[in-house]
């Protein structure tokens, strides 16, 4: 269950004619599993490169 006031980074994309979404992590600082804006952008760039190669980023990480 999500705590009140928490947010997640989600990437939405379309691959092979199907729309998908992928939760890449929680928003914030101070914990290893949380991503700030800079880390989320880097992760999104990696996902976009995988999509350009025809790979589903959700299955590849």
């Amino acid at each position: 269950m999500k705590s009140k006031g928490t947010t997640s980074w989600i990437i939405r994309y379309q691959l092979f004619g199907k729309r998908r979404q992928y939760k890449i992590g929680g928003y914030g600082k101070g914990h290893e599993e949380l991503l700030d804006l800079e880390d989320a952008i880097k992760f999104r760039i990696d996902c976009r490169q995988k999509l350009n190669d025809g790979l589903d980023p959700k299955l590849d990480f």
Side-chain angles (χ1 to χ4, degrees):
M1 184 171 171
K2 250 170 79 167
S3 300
K4 185 176 181 179
T6 60
T7 306
S8 299
W9 294 108
I10 296 175
I11 296 175
R12 293 187 180 124
Y13 59 96
Q14 186 168 334
L15 186 65
F16 305 122
K18 293 189 177 186
R19 293 181 186 198
R20 302 167 190 240
Q21 71 179 29
Y22 176 31
K23 179 182 172 184
I24 62 172
Y27 169 75
K29 291 184 178 182
H31 289 82
E32 191 172 302
E33 66 273 0
L34 297 178
L35 300 172
D36 61 5
L37 178 61
E38 184 178 336
D39 292 334
I41 290 171
K42 289 177 185 177
F43 199 91
R44 188 219 174 266
I45 290 169
D46 290 340
C47 288
R48 180 56 55 193
Q49 290 173 344
K50 291 182 186 309
L51 285 167
N52 289 341
D53 292 337
L55 301 172
D56 189 344
K58 188 173 185 177
L59 301 176
D60 201 42
F61 282 104

